[in-house]
Amino acid sequence: MAEPEADTATAGQGPAPAPGPPEEGAGLAAVIGATVPTGFELTAAEEVQEKLGSVSRISRDRGKIYFEVPARGLPQVHRLRSVDNLFVVVQEFKDYQFKENKEDALKDLEDLVKKLPWTDPLKVWELNNSLKKKKTKRKKHNLQSGASKEKLNEDGEEEGTDQKDAGKREDCAQNAAGESQAGSGSASQAGDGKTSEREVKVLKFRVTCNRAGDKHSFTSNEAARDFGGAVQEHFQWKADMTNFDVEVLLNIHNNEVVVGIALTEESLHRRNITHFGPTTLRSTLAYGMLRLCDPQPTDIIVDPMCGTGAIPIEGATEWPSCYHIAGDNNPQAVKRAANNICSLLKKNENKESSTSLGIPLDIIQWDICNLPLRTGSVDIIVTDMPFGKRIGSKKKNWDLYPACLTEMGRICTPGTGRAALLTQDKKCFAKALSRMGHIWRKGQTVWVNVGGLHAAVYLLKRTWERAEEKRSFW
């Protein structure tokens, strides 16, 4: 991929206007790489087109998209809901020819460092850093103004990288190329010439290599080590595996090689949840499932097995003109979801110059097979069904899935209702769905990787068939 050209202003006729203060990132363009939940690449590309006006290219390496934006658009890039991690592309090679001999192949990677167009991507990285610092300052100001001091912790179920295609090997390595004396040639000089005031900071870095494919003579560890050594020599940066300033990415997928610089320290899916259960869903995957259903203003959206509330919280944040109802039969899950909603409300209160209006979301403890909702009253159902691994069992699913689909069919509006259901127990789901053909019509299936498990999101459309009315128990 050619280095993105900077936008240049055309000289006009007549006298030039007096120059104003230079805008940060003015004229600088960046090719951004984004990792997304596997299977939802098209969904992410649609969001990028809708919110940034950029056309995305989906990588052959699943779970990645690429798009070009002006560097000044970085804040909007960070606000995308469907992307996990972001990096600026230094250069991409679509058909890189690796030598068969290991030493020769690694020597080529070392030599590559000197030939790469680092200048503009490093400017983008610096601009991204300055944005992060501004955000941190705002956060500190808000905390001093009486904001919530609740610490955001993170664990729970997370999606794998899904590079394990059949017959392929893949591995990931991080290497800092060993400690050595760093020189003074920092790439992160402020550019204002005030280096005499204090010594220029020497950057710390690490190289992370993700490799997929079975035709490479080297491991990702070896590639990261040798590429990292060359980066260190080229920039005179200091190697540091944990406390680094710059993370250089070397992504190798068969003959496709992409060199990038990370723009996110932690995944953007870590945004809504503070109280985790055994199977908390990533916010980015929740967004993808909701978007599949195309929510419209005033739609009633239900997650009948909400767990810690990842889906309804994402829904209420991104589609506030819909009404979201979440429920679970487990009181502990309902408590966690309620705590997550409270954390989100506090976060909204702390945003500068915003009047917190609450969020259109309610949480209820209920029985999935006997929902306290009127027949045909719900527009959309989005839920993460029990896989039968960490919660429930495969045996229980044979009874649970048909009962769930029946009750969901009852509450869903005939003709226009739709559902996006995530499950790893595909055999059981297919069997249950085959009995429900009169109520549910199967549409799109999106194959995803959830915590290393091969799962599927089924998009179902509600038929016009009227469901049986619920009989009163009183």
Side-chain angles (χ1 to χ4, degrees):
M1 181 182 291
E3 187 186 3
E5 291 177 15
D7 297 330
T8 50
T10 312
Q13 302 290 318
E23 188 188 337
E24 278 189 301
L28 185 64
V31 175
I32 303 293
T35 60
V36 303
T38 53
F40 283 97
E41 296 88 352
L42 278 171
T43 306
E46 283 169 14
E47 188 194 9
V48 168
Q49 175 74 60
E50 183 185 293
K51 295 180 179 176
L52 304 176
S54 299
V55 177
S56 298
R57 183 176 58 75
I58 295 168
S59 172
R60 283 176 288 178
D61 182 8
R62 285 191 80 202
K64 288 191 183 74
I65 63 168
Y66 297 97
F67 54 92
E68 189 170 335
V69 290
R72 63 178 176 271
L74 279 174
Q76 287 85 355
V77 174
H78 279 274
R79 286 198 283 271
L80 292 171
R81 310 296 294 185
S82 55
V83 305
D84 287 319
N85 286 290
L86 297 164
F87 57 95
V88 57
V89 174
V90 177
Q91 194 159 3
E92 181 182 8
F93 303 89
K94 289 180 182 169
D95 191 22
Y96 189 94
Q97 296 302 309
F98 288 102
K99 301 265 175 62
E100 285 184 29
N101 178 283
K102 184 203 281 191
E103 284 71 25
D104 292 344
L106 291 171
K107 180 73 170 65
D108 281 355
L109 285 175
E110 280 182 51
D111 293 342
L112 189 62
V113 171
K114 294 192 285 286
K115 301 170 190 169
L116 292 171
W118 294 98
T119 309
D120 279 359
L122 279 167
K123 283 180 188 169
V124 172
W125 172 82
E126 282 185 349
L127 180 60
N128 189 68
N129 260 15
S130 68
L131 292 169
K132 279 196 287 192
K133 281 172 190 163
K134 282 179 190 171
K135 197 173 176 184
T136 308
K137 276 181 189 170
R138 278 201 301 271
K139 273 188 183 173
K140 279 181 183 169
H141 172 73
N142 288 335
L143 282 167
Q144 286 160 2
S145 311
S148 158
K149 287 172 187 164
E150 188 170 348
K151 195 176 177 187
L152 305 181
N153 294 324
E154 169 75 28
D155 69 347
E157 181 170 289
E158 305 218 331
E159 200 181 353
T161 55
D162 195 34
Q163 292 176 320
K164 298 175 185 175
D165 295 337
K168 290 184 181 177
R169 270 177 63 220
E170 76 97 14
D171 53 350
C172 170
Q174 293 158 348
N175 199 290
E179 296 283 350
S180 78
Q181 281 229 307
S184 59
S186 168
S188 183
Q189 292 178 20
D192 56 5
K194 294 180 184 174
T195 51
S196 56
E197 287 179 21
R198 70 179 195 279
E199 202 177 322
V200 175
K201 182 191 170 190
V202 176
L203 293 181
K204 295 175 183 174
F205 83 102
R206 81 170 182 197
V207 170
T208 300
C209 176
N210 295 287
R211 187 187 64 81
D214 54 5
K215 291 195 167 70
H216 306 123
S217 57
F218 52 85
T219 65
S220 59
N221 265 319
E222 291 165 335
R225 180 196 65 208
D226 290 16
F227 192 81
V231 168
Q232 186 178 37
E233 197 176 310
H234 185 65
F235 289 109
Q236 295 296 299
W237 291 342
K238 190 173 183 179
D240 194 317
M241 282 289 287
T242 50
N243 189 26
F244 52 87
D245 303 299
V246 187
E247 183 175 22
V248 178
L249 305 172
L250 178 61
N251 294 330
I252 301 169
H253 182 258
N254 293 324
N255 278 358
E256 188 178 75
V257 175
V258 181
V259 179
I261 300 168
L263 299 179
T264 45
E265 287 168 22
E266 64 171 14
S267 176
L268 297 176
H269 80 263
R270 302 164 185 260
R271 55 175 174 251
N272 296 333
I273 306 300
T274 55
H275 296 75
F276 288 82
T279 60
T280 299
L281 199 68
R282 295 170 85 114
S283 298
T284 44
L285 185 50
Y287 173 85
M289 290 171 68
L290 283 154
R291 194 174 169 111
L292 275 181
C293 294
D294 190 24
Q296 299 299 310
T298 74
D299 275 352
I300 294 173
I301 304 176
V302 170
D303 181 353
M305 294 177 273
C306 71
T308 50
I311 292 170
I313 288 172
E314 185 65 25
T317 306
E318 188 64 9
W319 289 276
S321 54
C322 299
Y323 178 48
H324 305 261
I325 307 172
D328 204 287
N329 69 337
N330 184 332
Q332 191 60 40
V334 173
K335 188 179 174 185
R336 286 191 193 110
N339 285 332
N340 284 323
I341 293 165
C342 287
S343 298
L344 185 66
L345 286 168
K346 282 178 188 172
K347 195 167 93 174
N348 287 351
E349 281 169 17
N350 298 333
K351 283 183 181 169
E352 280 184 302
S353 69
S354 78
T355 50
S356 185
L357 301 171
I359 49 174
L361 167 56
D362 276 322
I363 174 83
I364 306 159
Q365 186 178 340
W366 60 26
D367 172 8
I368 173 60
C369 301
N370 186 29
L371 297 172
L373 296 168
R374 192 182 300 153
T375 299
S377 62
V378 172
D379 299 289
I380 295 172
I381 297 167
V382 182
T383 199
D384 174 9
M385 299 180 79
F387 286 15
K389 299 268 186 187
R390 296 184 199 176
I391 288 191
S393 68
K394 297 265 185 183
K395 191 177 177 184
K396 283 181 183 172
N397 283 353
W398 286 99
D399 294 324
L400 179 67
Y401 279 21
C404 285
L405 286 171
T406 302
E407 184 65 347
M408 288 178 197
R410 181 188 69 79
I411 64 168
C412 209
T413 312
T416 57
R418 54 254 187 233
L421 310 177
L422 169 68
T423 180
Q424 190 261 338
D425 197 347
K426 300 179 284 291
K427 188 178 175 184
C428 180
F429 186 86
K431 184 74 175 169
L433 192 61
S434 68
R435 297 186 214 158
M436 302 286 155
H438 60 295
I439 295 176
W440 292 112
R441 195 80 19 92
K442 189 166 78 123
Q444 188 181 349
T445 303
V446 179
W447 303 103
V448 294
N449 183 301
V450 182
L453 299 171
H454 191 53
V457 175
Y458 295 96
L459 184 62
L460 307 181
K461 299 284 173 71
R462 181 68 171 80
T463 66
W464 286 98
E465 182 87 13
R466 287 192 64 187
E468 195 178 324
E469 288 288 337
K470 202 77 181 169
R471 291 190 184 88
S472 172
F473 288 98
W474 293 279

